[in-house]
Amino acid sequence: MARSFQALIPRLRLHAGLALLLYVTTHLLNHVWGIFGLEALESARRFFLGFWRHPAIFWVVPASLLVHIVLSGYKLLTITNWRRLHWNEWLQLSLSLMMPLLISSHVYVTRFATLLYGVRDTYSYVLLGQMTIAIDLYLMLVVVWLHGNLGLMSYLWHKPWFRRIKQPLLIAQIVIPLLAMVGIIVAHREVNQLKQDPAWLASVMQFTNPNNVDLVAASSNFMARFGAGYAAILLGLGGGRALVLRLRRKHYLITVEYKGIATVTIPPGTSLLEASLANGIPHAHSCGGRGRCSTCRIEIIEGAKALNSPNETEQRLLKRFGAGSDIRLACQTIPTGACVVRPLLHHHDRAQLGAPTMISHGADKQIVIMFADLRGFTTLSEGKLPYDTVFILNQYFQSMGQVIESNGGYLDKFIGDGIMALFGLEGTLEQACHNALAAAQAMAHQLDVLNQRLQDDVSEPLRMGIGIHCGHVIVGDLGYKRAKHLTAIGDAVNIAARLEEATKTLQTQLVVSRAVMQHSSLDLHDLRLSEIPIRGRSQPLEIYSIESAKSLVLVPLTLNS
Ligand code: FES
């Protein structure tokens, strides 16, 4: 019950915010009519108020305002880690703190003065005031507009159709307030001319402020009290919040067990990703914990009930990934009680990667090298959100990585959208050649599965090219500090890379050197041998060019004991 209410809060806040944004948009559109003169502005106002002050709608704005303020305050009070906030959340938050001060005098003059003193808040009356009042009003609208549109953008960001409306929406977000400002300036100039006529001035005053209330003094008085009250509330809430958090952190720690890795204790409000990083537990997090990349996925082994409910962003991402109910995004998961978890993507150690632990200082070895590259991915990623690109690439790397590893390969590195893998770091060359070809075939099948899964995310199916060669290379740990890892260098590596490049010109999926084929158990009957020039080599290289790796006919290898 409590969890479902927790999940409801952001929704309620969002919908209240959207209702307010709609109100502000129509308010600004009302101002736009000022371009056509004061009369047009007033007519638009009657239409605008006819809607918003209709008895059935009248309470929507105050109610939305109340809900939005209370729930935003609640969010503010429950933020336990300010570092988790993105810059636009900081901006939104700062704007929201300014808003009560900016809107209170406007609300007083329009709503309260109307109710208390029978004031009619026409534009003629409002614009009779100093230009500074109009500027204050405008500043208020800009702050509210900016705050609302930041919220709108983060709400729409994940919608599949967002890209289609992004440009027109951006244009509207800039053009509407600009036109509204022009409308107010034009109308203000007209009022300045009209007020030279005492009869016009008297009739406006009589109509708009029949009781001749000194609204400037009344609103200043209200603002002084409101300002002091608001400051006291902020100080009280801020101080209370700091105290409560301090006490909770001191007296209440939550235990998180990383199965087979470590057990740590964390203060309440800490996400599982933060728990990992704070305790030195390797944990992938490509998007920096913003719930967009899914690389921080974690398996919940025990204690699912002690976790916050997945929010909309997390649900969407996990669904897209096809994750089971025991999988969560660590960056979005905040435990309130003990739990046992296992990160799914972390910085693997050498043993997990299938790399032999003996080769570290360098060894000359005959191995098989595979390069694989996505075709046209740069074009494919054009116009995509960065996180979508990362998401698709990670899906591709994960699928291919699993296939390579399950066929005895060692994932050397990911280079852009390319993969370099080594086979035969241990075992015979025959076994390595067989494994590399089996991996290429499995990768081709896996690509079909991936394309099926990503059909809504990519405009055309992913394609790839694979080059495989074998030869003597130097294998060893290369690099510096954390960037040091087991890799291979040598002519054979360069040739394998050239073979992968050759798949583009030969328009095939797989190019394999004759040397690999000779050491494999492959049925070569239907394959045609050809030669290609290799940059840096005087002799051409004999290769087999295979249109689809799926067509390979692999014969099970007979192992000699
Ligand atoms: S770190 Fe990207 S989704 Fe969690």
Side-chain angles (χ1 to χ4, degrees):
M1 177 71 183
R3 290 180 74 193
S4 54
F5 181 67
Q6 287 279 339
L8 197 64
I9 287 177
R11 248 168 212 278
L12 268 177
R13 194 179 65 240
L14 172 77
H15 288 118
L18 289 177
L20 293 173
L21 184 61
L22 178 65
Y23 174 79
V24 174
T25 307
T26 54
H27 204 342
L28 287 174
L29 289 173
N30 186 169
H31 289 185
V32 175
W33 282 91
I35 293 173
F36 305 105
L38 187 61
E39 188 46 46
L41 183 64
E42 295 289 16
S43 303
R45 173 185 168 274
R46 284 190 285 276
F47 179 75
F48 166 72
L49 290 187
F51 176 74
W52 286 110
R53 291 192 186 170
H54 185 279
I57 309 282
F58 184 82
W59 291 105
V60 170
V61 173
S64 302
L65 195 59
L66 186 68
V67 169
H68 198 65
I69 288 175
V70 169
L71 296 185
S72 300
Y74 175 77
K75 181 186 175 185
L76 202 62
L77 289 177
T78 50
I79 291 173
T80 47
N81 191 337
W82 296 91
R83 280 174 303 170
R84 206 186 292 152
L85 297 186
H86 196 245
W87 69 265
N88 61 2
E89 289 172 299
W90 274 107
L91 179 59
Q92 223 186 344
L93 200 62
S94 316
L95 294 172
S96 66
L97 287 175
M98 287 164 64
M99 272 195 302
L101 286 177
L102 287 169
I103 64 171
S104 54
S105 84
H106 186 60
V107 171
Y108 180 81
V109 171
T110 53
R111 289 282 170 115
F112 290 163
T114 304
L115 292 171
L116 294 174
Y117 312 119
V119 167
R120 297 187 177 97
D121 50 337
T122 67
Y123 280 102
S124 308
Y125 182 68
V126 172
L127 294 175
L128 263 179
Q130 305 279 323
M131 191 58 195
T132 50
I133 295 178
I135 291 171
D136 284 354
L137 280 180
Y138 204 77
L139 180 66
M140 174 199 81
L141 276 175
V142 168
V143 167
V144 173
W145 183 249
L146 203 55
H147 172 83
N149 277 288
L150 281 171
L152 180 69
M153 292 299 260
S154 49
Y155 166 61
L156 295 178
W157 189 267
H158 299 288
K159 302 285 176 199
W161 38 264
F162 176 61
R163 258 200 319 277
R164 289 201 294 278
I165 63 154
K166 192 175 156 192
Q167 293 294 346
L169 182 64
L170 203 61
I171 292 170
Q173 285 168 331
I174 294 168
V175 168
I176 290 176
L178 282 179
L179 288 180
M181 184 163 64
V182 174
I184 287 296
I185 290 171
V186 171
H188 191 257
R189 286 176 61 182
E190 192 178 334
V191 167
N192 274 347
Q193 283 171 1
L194 287 169
K195 74 178 180 189
Q196 307 307 323
D197 176 1
W200 181 86
L201 192 57
S203 77
V204 168
M205 294 307 287
Q206 177 57 36
F207 177 74
T208 54
N209 190 358
N211 299 316
N212 201 21
V213 177
D214 185 353
L215 274 183
V216 174
S219 87
S220 304
N221 193 14
F222 172 78
M223 279 302 294
R225 287 161 192 257
F226 180 82
Y230 183 58
I233 288 174
L234 283 187
L235 280 175
L237 288 179
R241 174 188 185 282
L243 190 66
V244 169
L245 283 182
R246 205 186 168 95
L247 289 173
R248 283 176 72 188
R249 286 201 168 133
K250 203 165 171 187
H251 299 293
Y252 179 52
L253 289 174
I254 295 163
T255 304
V256 178
E257 181 187 340
Y258 289 80
K259 194 78 181 170
I261 302 175
T263 299
V264 302
T265 51
I266 54 169
T270 308
S271 74
L272 287 175
L273 178 63
E274 287 163 345
S276 305
L277 301 182
N279 290 284
I281 294 165
H283 202 144
H285 56 294
S286 298
C287 73
R290 302 218 61 223
R292 293 189 172 162
C293 66
S294 86
T295 53
C296 64
R297 294 189 302 279
I298 198 159
E299 182 189 352
I300 309 299
I301 300 170
E302 279 172 36
K305 286 206 167 87
L307 306 175
N308 63 328
S309 308
N311 58 29
E312 212 179 317
T313 311
E314 183 181 355
Q315 281 175 14
R316 195 180 308 116
L317 200 54
L318 290 176
K319 188 171 162 205
R320 193 170 165 195
F321 186 73
S325 57
D326 56 341
I327 305 297
R328 295 287 307 266
L329 295 183
C331 65
Q332 306 296 312
T333 308
I334 299 173
T336 51
C339 56
V340 182
V341 299
R342 176 168 29 226
L344 294 177
L345 296 181
H346 45 86
H347 304 291
H348 305 280
D349 61 30
R350 295 164 67 95
Q352 282 175 306
L353 288 168
T357 46
M358 294 92 75
I359 308 172
S360 62
H361 301 297
D364 182 333
K365 252 190 109 47
Q366 200 176 11
I367 62 166
V368 179
I369 307 104
M370 170 196 277
F371 277 86
D373 194 47
L374 272 180
R375 290 283 165 265
F377 189 73
T378 315
T379 324
L380 201 81
S381 59
E382 269 169 14
K384 283 214 169 302
L385 297 174
Y387 289 109
D388 282 346
T389 307
V390 169
F391 174 80
I392 294 167
L393 266 185
N394 278 331
Q395 295 276 300
Y396 168 74
F397 286 150
Q398 186 188 1
S399 300
M400 299 308 149
Q402 280 170 353
V403 165
I404 288 168
E405 286 184 352
S406 61
N407 280 284
Y410 162 68
L411 282 164
D412 183 312
K413 55 175 83 74
F414 297 105
I415 319 149
D417 55 14
I419 300 171
M420 175 178 165
L422 309 177
F423 293 82
L425 293 174
E426 284 177 340
T428 64
L429 184 62
E430 285 71 23
Q431 178 79 59
C433 290
H434 177 88
N435 287 353
L437 291 168
Q441 186 178 53
M443 286 162 76
H445 285 294
Q446 193 60 31
L447 190 67
D448 287 348
V449 174
L450 187 62
N451 276 326
Q452 192 72 28
R453 203 191 306 155
L454 292 177
Q455 57 184 340
D456 294 334
D457 298 288
V458 290
S459 51
E460 54 185 80
L462 299 176
R463 292 175 295 116
M464 67 181 171
I466 304 172
I468 304 176
H469 182 55
C470 65
H472 280 277
V473 293
I474 306 293
V475 181
D477 278 337
L478 282 180
Y480 177 62
K481 287 194 172 171
R482 292 182 67 191
K484 192 171 186 175
H485 76 290
L486 187 82
T487 187
I489 49 168
D491 201 30
V493 177
N494 301 333
I495 292 173
R498 302 276 175 269
L499 296 188
E500 179 274 307
E501 280 171 23
T503 58
K504 292 178 204 160
T505 43
L506 295 170
Q507 308 253 315
T508 54
Q509 190 178 50
L510 178 63
V511 173
V512 188
S513 68
R514 185 181 187 189
V516 171
M517 289 303 207
Q518 279 177 334
H519 287 102
S520 74
S521 57
L522 202 73
D523 183 348
L524 299 176
H525 276 100
D526 295 334
L527 302 177
R528 201 166 57 83
L529 191 63
S530 57
E531 289 186 342
I532 57 165
I534 296 285
R535 207 179 337 135
R537 271 175 63 113
S538 53
Q539 298 294 316
L541 188 79
E542 289 183 310
I543 54 119
Y544 289 92
S545 170
I546 297 142
E547 195 174 334
S548 166
K550 285 187 283 186
S551 65
L552 291 174
V553 183
L554 287 163
V555 179
L557 204 64
T558 315
L559 295 174
N560 299 321
S561 55

